[in-house]
Amino acid sequence: MDRDDPLRYPRQRFQIPQGLLYLDGNSLGALPKSTPNDVMQTITKDWGERLIGSWNDAGWVNLPATVAAKLAPLLGVQAGEVVIADSTSVNLFKLLSGVLLADSKRNGTTRRWILSERDNFPTDLYIAEGVLSLFGDRYALKLVAREDIGASIDDSVAVALITHVDYRTGHLHDMRALCQRADVCGVELIWDLSHSAGAVPLDLAGDGANYAVGCGYKYLNGGPGAPGYAYVRQTRQATLPAPLSGWFGHAAPFAFLPAYQPAPDIRRLLCGTPSVLAMIALGSGIDTFDGVSMIELRKKSLALSDLFWQLVDQRCAGMGLRCVSPVDHATRASQLSFAHPAAFAVMQALISRGVIGDFRQPNLMRFGFTPLYTRFTDCWDAIDVLEDVLRSEVWRQPRFSEKKQVP
Amino acid sequence: MDRDDPLRYPRQRFQIPQGLLYLDGNSLGALPKSTPNDVMQTITKDWGERLIGSWNDAGWVNLPATVAAKLAPLLGVQAGEVVIADSTSVNLFKLLSGVLLADSKRNGTTRRWILSERDNFPTDLYIAEGVLSLFGDRYALKLVAREDIGASIDDSVAVALITHVDYRTGHLHDMRALCQRADVCGVELIWDLSHSAGAVPLDLAGDGANYAVGCGYKYLNGGPGAPGYAYVRQTRQATLPAPLSGWFGHAAPFAFLPAYQPAPDIRRLLCGTPSVLAMIALGSGIDTFDGVSMIELRKKSLALSDLFWQLVDQRCAGMGLRCVSPVDHATRASQLSFAHPAAFAVMQALISRGVIGDFRQPNLMRFGFTPLYTRFTDCWDAIDVLEDVLRSEVWRQPRFSEKKQVP
């Protein structure tokens, strides 16, 4: 399968440690080979030699736009519809507070809810709580089960905050159907694409999405804590309030005018001065997708997870594993999660043997498939170890139960 | 003077380009020699080889605290009172919205104003506008002249937002006096330390300051767009609302609990996942202060600006320069600004000759003195060029008037 894989070549773009079976690119993407040079050039040449002049000469001032332009095709949007900035959480705050601020000023609006999924990625719900605290009792959070989110979109909802891919199970929502439903009900919909961009083909424009945020350090390979991004459809940009109104979002950032005037376009989603080193590294990360067909990538992603699942069924039957990810290709993203009563300890034992997945509360082991560098043989080799760990019950050793905090 | 300078040695910690007279460290600090290695180690070893495990093994998860611990002595606060996070603008949003949220919930409060300086650094005022937009008509912005800020603190003010060092003139406020006045009037006071930390000795604890934010890429040498920081006095931390409530500010960030519960301490000022590369570079930048006495640094800073000013008076008299910085040492920070009718063109001509200062609206040339690496001979050499540029009127060449956007 590896020999015939048309996406075999991008693995050469990464620095993958010898002997490691890395199935956690959904949490932190591997290091692209070009990143060290790109960052070092920025540090030693642009910063070290040309100093302040590099804001113009090296194009630092435009990085939020130029790196976004690399990302745009992966989202299925135009370059001027997305911007790199801050963290996913901060970007979500911007969109959510902006959308609610606009709603609160509409004449006669009675919409009351921020609608979201009960099992959404926690920071999304935390940010929703933070935004709500600034609106007094005007709005409240309504949480429903993931499968009920579509049916819960109605005209009592001001904004729905939906995560495209569930971080626990890898379940993938039908973006187009939910956008249509939101559109019919006049509900604003903000997508969190953290676990989808770079993992599944996206067509935000075609699917009718108006707002989205996402993460740069997972499938986009931007490095630990890479900046996030924010998407706003072109037609919505000029009217979206921007309460996180820092100088980089100003219409004339370096005129030092006393009053805030938001940029007329997507730049109003910028706030403070962006980290140049972080932006450069994210650019290198996104470059690993150069020339890669997302259709091919999707095919390989599903082939990898199909193989892994099939091998678990064949080799680990009766050993306590239960897959909680969707069987159906249409609703499966690029990871598989298995429940196991001792998931934490089993995962620690796997990690100690060089098979890197991760644990998620309460009892899940996650394995991510990153088609740019995961090989089919990696699945075989990982299952060898998994089978052995389960069969030998080595995970019962106390050292594998010591809990650590892991993002 | 350089020979007898007890702070001659830290210059060896920086990569200063040959032939450049860099007097803009107040805008972007020079590159510390240790930064490339520190960042490269993080990229190639911690990220490249140990991947996700480095969140714990390499201490990434604690960087907002460990880098803050390096900064704390420069602010005159305890390690647990400051945190590295996001940008200055975002941090200001956190403190300002948190303080106003607390005020709005106090019984019977009638305080109405965010008080600030008319000529404050623009992003501070922009952020204030953004925060205000979320509180409807409850609060409003009151802007006064910098010299009137103390007298304007009264019991109609909810929060005063004061920049310690004026970015245009280098004027330095009396922190202790303003804190006392605020305390007497029950006014919360947020300091912006962007142009003071690392440039003048600070004693936030002793002076009675409760809240502050600041910038990592100026005198702290953290690199372009380095993260900012936020300080909250220990006694205020547990009750400060945190509307930018991302997962890194949660009491148990990686327990993935559905409801937000702010960390009991300064960590509640964290929001999303921090950029590890940016944090590491900022740590290297702050390390350049190792063993440096801020008293010595202050002495040298004033000696540098005294010398520069004296040379301008002697060598450039009658050529249109007028110093707008304070004569008095007690109110002068670590820069000098000169008004000139053609300030932009003159500065461009200086830059073309390797003397790097910067231009600020409407007619100011700024020269920053960074005692860790600025030499007394740099002042002499820069004045040689300045005198020649003014005397020859080379700045009248059209190429020096082409405006560019520079942060």
Side-chain angles (χ1 to χ4, degrees):
Chain A
M1 293 172 85
D2 284 320
R3 193 194 53 212
D4 298 335
D5 172 18
L7 278 190
R8 194 179 45 194
Y9 69 94
R11 183 174 164 96
Q12 298 160 13
R13 298 177 176 173
F14 292 88
Q15 192 72 50
I16 310 286
Q18 279 286 349
L20 211 64
L21 298 170
Y22 192 64
L23 300 174
D24 208 12
N26 51 321
S27 189
L28 174 65
L31 172 63
K33 281 184 184 159
S34 61
T35 305
N37 271 342
D38 291 348
V39 174
M40 211 36 43
Q41 163 88 19
T42 298
I43 292 179
T44 58
K45 301 286 176 194
D46 298 341
W47 175 16
E49 294 180 10
R50 296 185 295 169
L51 290 139
I52 190 75
S54 287
W55 276 105
N56 284 308
D57 302 343
W60 289 350
V61 76
N62 296 319
L63 282 170
T66 53
V67 178
K70 299 174 188 238
L71 173 62
L74 294 180
L75 306 185
V77 305
Q78 296 300 309
E81 296 184 308
V82 61
V83 79
I84 311 286
D86 300 306
S87 64
T88 312
S89 300
V90 170
N91 289 328
L92 183 54
F93 185 95
K94 294 173 192 167
L95 292 187
L96 202 49
S97 61
V99 162
L100 283 189
L101 202 51
D103 180 75
S104 70
K105 289 185 174 168
R106 251 172 233 124
N107 276 336
T109 177
T110 57
R111 296 176 185 271
R112 166 139 184 80
W113 304 110
I114 296 181
L115 174 69
S116 197
E117 304 159 47
R118 191 169 297 124
D119 290 331
N120 202 344
F121 190 80
T123 206
D124 293 41
L125 301 182
Y126 302 163
I127 289 292
E129 282 193 52
V131 170
L132 283 175
S133 75
L134 291 165
F135 283 90
D137 297 328
R138 177 62 189 83
Y139 300 99
L141 193 55
K142 180 186 232 174
L143 298 178
V144 300
R146 186 167 169 92
E147 59 269 26
D148 297 332
I149 196 89
S152 304
I153 295 176
D154 61 32
D155 62 9
S156 71
V157 173
V159 55
L161 172 55
I162 303 184
T163 292
H164 190 219
V165 171
D166 185 290
Y167 78 101
R168 283 197 180 86
T169 64
H171 174 269
L172 178 67
H173 268 309
D174 182 338
M175 183 178 283
R176 182 169 301 207
L178 289 171
C179 285
Q180 281 172 354
R181 170 92 188 181
D183 194 45
V184 166
C185 301
V187 170
E188 300 289 13
L189 203 170
I190 301 173
W191 289 97
D192 184 338
L193 305 175
S194 291
H195 291 82
S196 21
V200 298
L202 292 170
D203 180 16
L204 269 67
D207 284 347
N210 294 318
Y211 304 101
V213 297
C215 170
Y217 54 80
K218 299 177 187 291
Y219 295 95
L220 299 181
N221 309 310
Y229 54 88
Y231 155 77
V232 179
R233 181 181 291 272
Q234 200 276 327
T235 52
R236 303 296 187 100
Q237 293 171 6
T239 53
L240 181 70
L244 257 173
S245 44
W247 67 325
F248 266 68
H250 195 281
F254 311 117
F256 295 85
L257 302 172
Y260 182 65
Q261 185 181 344
D265 50 29
I266 190 74
R267 288 177 301 127
R268 68 173 57 193
L269 269 292
L270 299 177
C271 183
T273 312
S275 165
V276 168
L277 306 189
M279 290 265 167
I280 292 290
L282 177 53
S284 309
I286 301 173
D287 284 346
T288 59
F289 286 87
D290 273 359
V292 170
S293 149
M294 288 304 289
I295 304 300
E296 292 285 5
L297 183 137
R298 174 68 171 154
K299 257 207 281 204
K300 181 175 177 185
S301 160
L302 290 169
L304 285 163
S305 59
D306 277 348
L307 174 66
F308 193 93
W309 195 337
Q310 179 193 331
L311 290 171
V312 167
D313 281 350
Q314 287 172 8
R315 311 258 307 269
C316 307
M319 291 194 273
L321 290 178
R322 180 175 52 85
C323 190
V324 300
S325 300
V327 178
D328 185 4
H329 280 183
T331 57
R332 189 200 306 166
S334 203
Q335 67 171 70
L336 290 178
S337 296
F338 295 86
H340 186 281
F344 182 86
V346 173
M347 183 52 75
Q348 289 304 109
L350 288 176
I351 290 170
S352 78
R353 301 270 302 268
V355 176
I356 316 296
D358 60 22
F359 165 78
R360 282 296 175 262
Q361 298 284 2
N363 65 346
L364 295 180
M365 291 189 282
R366 292 197 308 181
F367 301 95
F369 307 98
T370 41
L372 294 187
Y373 52 85
T374 305
R375 297 169 300 193
F376 292 94
T377 49
D378 294 338
C379 296
W380 285 91
D381 294 343
I383 296 292
D384 281 350
V385 178
L386 176 63
E387 182 187 2
D388 190 60
V389 161
L390 290 172
R391 200 172 295 279
S392 69
E393 300 197 353
V394 63
W395 56 265
R396 291 192 186 274
Q397 293 179 13
R399 65 182 169 123
F400 294 129
S401 302
E402 285 163 23
K403 294 247 174 180
K404 290 179 203 168
Q405 290 204 328
V406 189
Chain B
M1 294 173 85
D2 284 321
R3 193 194 53 212
D4 298 334
D5 172 20
L7 279 190
R8 196 180 44 194
Y9 69 94
R11 184 175 165 94
Q12 298 159 15
R13 298 176 177 174
F14 293 88
Q15 192 72 49
I16 311 286
Q18 278 287 348
L20 211 64
L21 298 170
Y22 192 64
L23 300 174
D24 208 13
N26 50 321
S27 188
L28 175 65
L31 171 63
K33 281 184 183 158
S34 62
T35 305
N37 270 344
D38 292 348
V39 174
M40 212 38 38
Q41 163 87 20
T42 299
I43 292 179
T44 59
K45 301 284 174 195
D46 299 341
W47 175 17
E49 294 179 10
R50 296 185 293 169
L51 289 141
I52 190 76
S54 287
W55 276 105
N56 285 308
D57 302 343
W60 290 350
V61 77
N62 296 321
L63 282 171
T66 52
V67 179
K70 299 173 188 240
L71 173 63
L74 294 181
L75 306 185
V77 305
Q78 296 299 311
E81 296 183 307
V82 61
V83 80
I84 310 285
D86 301 306
S87 64
T88 313
S89 301
V90 169
N91 289 329
L92 183 53
F93 186 95
K94 294 172 191 167
L95 292 187
L96 201 48
S97 62
V99 163
L100 283 189
L101 203 52
D103 180 76
S104 70
K105 288 184 176 165
R106 249 172 234 125
N107 275 336
T109 177
T110 57
R111 295 176 186 270
R112 167 139 183 80
W113 305 109
I114 297 182
L115 174 68
S116 196
E117 305 159 46
R118 191 169 295 126
D119 290 332
N120 202 343
F121 191 80
T123 207
D124 294 41
L125 301 182
Y126 303 163
I127 289 292
E129 283 193 52
V131 170
L132 284 176
S133 75
L134 292 165
F135 284 90
D137 298 328
R138 176 64 189 84
Y139 300 99
L141 193 55
K142 180 186 232 173
L143 298 178
V144 301
R146 187 166 168 91
E147 59 269 27
D148 297 332
I149 197 89
S152 304
I153 295 175
D154 61 32
D155 63 8
S156 71
V157 173
V159 55
L161 171 55
I162 303 185
T163 293
H164 189 220
V165 170
D166 183 289
Y167 78 103
R168 283 194 179 89
T169 64
H171 173 268
L172 177 68
H173 269 309
D174 182 337
M175 183 178 281
R176 182 169 300 206
L178 289 171
C179 284
Q180 282 172 353
R181 169 92 189 182
D183 194 45
V184 167
C185 301
V187 170
E188 301 288 13
L189 203 171
I190 302 173
W191 290 97
D192 183 339
L193 305 175
S194 291
H195 291 83
S196 22
V200 299
L202 291 169
D203 180 17
L204 269 67
D207 285 346
N210 294 318
Y211 304 101
V213 298
C215 171
Y217 53 79
K218 299 177 186 291
Y219 295 95
L220 300 181
N221 310 310
Y229 54 88
Y231 154 78
V232 178
R233 181 181 290 272
Q234 200 278 328
T235 52
R236 305 295 188 98
Q237 293 171 5
T239 53
L240 182 70
L244 257 174
S245 44
W247 68 324
F248 266 67
H250 195 281
F254 311 117
F256 295 85
L257 303 172
Y260 181 67
Q261 185 182 342
D265 50 29
I266 190 73
R267 289 177 301 126
R268 67 173 57 193
L269 268 293
L270 298 178
C271 183
T273 313
S275 164
V276 169
L277 305 189
M279 291 263 169
I280 293 290
L282 178 53
S284 309
I286 301 173
D287 284 345
T288 59
F289 287 87
D290 273 0
V292 170
S293 148
M294 287 306 287
I295 305 301
E296 291 286 3
L297 183 135
R298 175 67 172 155
K299 255 207 270 197
K300 181 176 177 185
S301 160
L302 290 170
L304 285 164
S305 59
D306 277 348
L307 174 65
F308 194 92
W309 196 336
Q310 178 193 332
L311 290 172
V312 167
D313 281 349
Q314 287 172 6
R315 311 257 308 267
C316 306
M319 291 194 273
L321 290 179
R322 181 174 52 86
C323 190
V324 300
S325 299
V327 178
D328 184 6
H329 280 182
T331 56
R332 187 199 309 165
S334 204
Q335 68 171 70
L336 290 178
S337 296
F338 294 86
H340 186 279
F344 182 85
V346 173
M347 183 52 75
Q348 289 305 108
L350 288 175
I351 290 170
S352 78
R353 300 268 303 267
V355 176
I356 315 296
D358 60 22
F359 165 79
R360 281 296 175 264
Q361 297 284 1
N363 63 345
L364 295 180
M365 290 189 285
R366 291 197 309 182
F367 300 95
F369 307 98
T370 42
L372 294 187
Y373 52 86
T374 304
R375 298 169 300 192
F376 292 95
T377 49
D378 294 338
C379 297
W380 285 91
D381 293 343
I383 294 292
D384 281 350
V385 178
L386 177 62
E387 182 188 3
D388 190 58
V389 160
L390 290 172
R391 201 171 293 279
S392 69
E393 300 198 353
V394 64
W395 55 265
R396 291 193 186 272
Q397 294 180 11
R399 65 182 171 123
F400 293 130
S401 302
E402 284 163 25
K403 295 246 173 179
K404 291 180 203 167
Q405 289 204 328
V406 188

